[in-house]
């Protein structure tokens, strides 16, 4: 099964990207792939990653299986 984010990884691998800002960081697996693609053009020490995830910063900690709608009711 092809990762639906693959076009983003391909684009980053083709261009010199040193800064990545991601909204909706999830579990972090996408961040690893984004930074691995960016490492094709820069040393790891030159890369900057900022991840923003409002779901993780919810006023009520989400329980197992909670959706974004459940958290912000």
């Amino acid at each position: 099964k092809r990762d639906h984010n693959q076009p983003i990884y391909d684009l980053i691998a083709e261009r010199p990207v040193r800064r990545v800002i991601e909204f909706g960081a999830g579990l972090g697996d996408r961040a690893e792939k984004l930074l691995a693609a960016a490492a094709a053009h820069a040393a790891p020490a030159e890369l900057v990653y900022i991840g923003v995830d409002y779901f993780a910063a919810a006023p009520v900690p989400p329980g197992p299986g909670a959706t974004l709608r459940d958290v912000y009711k």
Side-chain angles (χ1 to χ4, degrees):
K1 182 176 171 182
R2 182 171 161 89
D3 185 338
H4 69 277
N5 292 308
Q6 191 60 48
I8 298 170
Y9 309 139
D10 294 343
L11 185 64
I12 290 174
E14 294 171 3
R15 294 183 154 85
V17 172
R18 288 185 170 71
R19 289 181 224 95
V20 175
I21 300 174
E22 180 181 23
F23 291 89
L27 299 175
D29 53 335
R30 185 176 45 235
E32 289 179 17
K33 292 178 183 178
L34 289 169
L35 292 172
H41 298 287
E46 296 176 321
L47 299 175
V48 175
Y49 172 82
I50 297 171
V52 179
D53 195 325
Y54 288 109
F55 189 77
V60 177
T67 66
L68 190 60
R69 181 173 286 170
D70 294 335
V71 172
Y72 286 101
K73 281 184 182 178

